[in-house]
Amino acid sequence: MNRKSDECILRRRGVVWQVLGLLTVALVGLTTAQDDVPKIVNAKAAKLKNPLTSNAATVDAGRELYLTHCASCHGKKGKGDGGQALGGGTPSDLTDAVWDHGSTDGEIYWVIREGIESNADMLAYKKTLSEKETWQIVVFIRSIGPKKKK
């Protein structure tokens, strides 16, 4: 091989490595972007939109309802440490970033209304709470839990 041929091969290899590097950066960026998207567990519920505005009055109303209906299991601060879970289940920590049953407002609403029939022992509150009260609790949970991602 001559010197000119060697330089051409080296230049091509350099371009290939640059392209591979850019692809790697792009894939990492896509993966990171996907991590920012809320995990959809219940597609039907995820489509539900919260009709209430998050403001001090709504958060306070939700807090009162939460303390009455939810704190015995989930704890006053939502850490899952209320101690009254049925059947020895472990209540969800509503302040952490991992939401096993969905993280959209609609999914949270659905879980409160319909409950979860698994080892979570989450009771259904559709006969206890009005739709508005359930949305108020969702607003309160948002105020103590992971922030909604757009």
Side-chain angles (χ1 to χ4, degrees):
M1 283 200 195
N2 61 35
R3 180 178 168 95
K4 197 172 195 177
S5 174
D6 289 344
E7 288 175 3
C8 186
I9 290 170
L10 289 174
R11 195 172 315 122
R12 284 184 187 156
R13 284 183 184 163
V15 169
V16 168
W17 283 109
Q18 287 175 344
V19 169
L20 286 174
L22 289 172
L23 286 172
T24 301
V25 169
L27 286 173
V28 168
L30 284 173
T31 302
T32 303
Q34 287 177 347
D35 290 344
D36 291 341
V37 175
K39 175 183 168 187
I40 302 294
V41 175
N42 182 335
K44 180 179 177 183
K47 293 177 184 176
L48 298 174
K49 300 299 177 202
N50 191 337
L52 303 180
T53 303
S54 180
N55 56 39
T58 308
V59 171
D60 287 344
R63 178 183 295 111
E64 291 304 315
L65 290 162
Y66 174 88
L67 290 173
T68 300
H69 300 283
C70 313
S72 62
C73 291
H74 292 282
K76 288 182 181 179
K77 295 183 180 182
K79 297 285 187 183
D81 57 357
Q84 296 297 314
L86 301 173
T90 303
S92 296
D93 179 346
L94 304 174
T95 66
D96 67 6
V98 178
W99 291 61
D100 295 334
H101 305 288
S103 58
T104 66
D105 282 6
E107 288 172 306
I108 297 167
Y109 172 87
W110 187 274
V111 166
I112 296 168
R113 300 285 294 170
E114 301 298 326
I116 299 170
E117 294 180 18
S118 67
N119 62 352
D121 293 319
M122 172 70 191
L123 298 175
Y125 282 86
K126 64 184 167 194
K127 293 182 180 176
T128 307
L129 298 167
S130 69
E131 290 184 16
K132 180 179 180 182
E133 289 171 327
T134 306
W135 284 118
Q136 289 170 324
I137 292 173
V138 171
V139 170
F140 172 70
I141 290 171
R142 283 282 178 223
S143 77
I144 63 169
K147 299 308 170 216
K148 180 169 58 172
K149 296 175 183 176
K150 308 237 176 191

